[in-house]
Amino acid sequence: MGAALTRYRVVAYVVGVVLIVLVVLGMPLKYAWHDPVIVETVGPAHGFLYMVYLAATFDLGRRARWPLGRMVLVMLAGTVPFVSFYAERLVTRQMREPQPAAG
């Protein structure tokens, strides 16, 4: 499960950074200065990377046996700037905590 967590962490950071670039730089340039170049290049990249984020989150969630609601919330974290970083920290902390022994 360590590899799935690492994949999730890397993709969560990349998606978070790309989303911040899109929202903080691209959107003001597009709507205030009528220069859509960042939105036109970074927007599709974010869309693709978000699909990778969804796959990585699904993989980790299935391996960790998360309930569907938790998995959906973590998936939605990639749609709001800065929230993917927060979700990544929570998920990492929870995954690294010792699990109680079964039985």
Side-chain angles (χ1 to χ4, degrees), residues 23-57:
V23 171
V24 172
L25 295 176
M27 299 306 263
L29 279 174
K30 180 178 179 178
Y31 292 108
W33 288 279
H34 308 289
D35 184 7
V37 69
I38 291 180
V39 171
E40 290 173 352
T41 55
V42 175
H46 173 69
F48 174 76
L49 291 169
Y50 184 68
M51 294 300 128
V52 174
Y53 174 79
L54 292 176
T57 303

Side-chain angles (χ1 to χ4, degrees), residues 6-96:
T6 301
R7 280 190 300 272
Y8 165 76
R9 292 185 72 199
V10 169
V11 173
Y13 271 103
V14 171
V15 166
V17 169
V18 171
L19 182 58
I20 289 169
V21 168
L22 184 62
V23 171
V24 172
L25 295 176
M27 299 306 263
L29 279 174
K30 180 178 179 178
Y31 292 108
W33 288 279
H34 308 289
D35 184 7
V37 69
I38 291 180
V39 171
E40 290 173 352
T41 55
V42 175
H46 173 69
F48 174 76
L49 291 169
Y50 184 68
M51 294 300 128
V52 174
Y53 174 79
L54 292 176
T57 303
F58 181 80
D59 179 46
L60 180 62
R62 287 292 95 202
R63 291 172 191 261
R65 301 179 191 262
W66 290 346
L68 182 61
R70 178 186 175 139
M71 191 181 304
V72 168
L73 286 175
V74 174
M75 287 176 170
L76 288 173
T79 63
V80 181
F82 299 102
V83 176
S84 67
F85 303 120
Y86 177 72
E88 183 275 329
R89 292 308 313 153
L90 290 178
V91 166
T92 300
R93 186 178 306 128
Q94 187 261 340
M95 296 299 295
R96 289 185 173 168

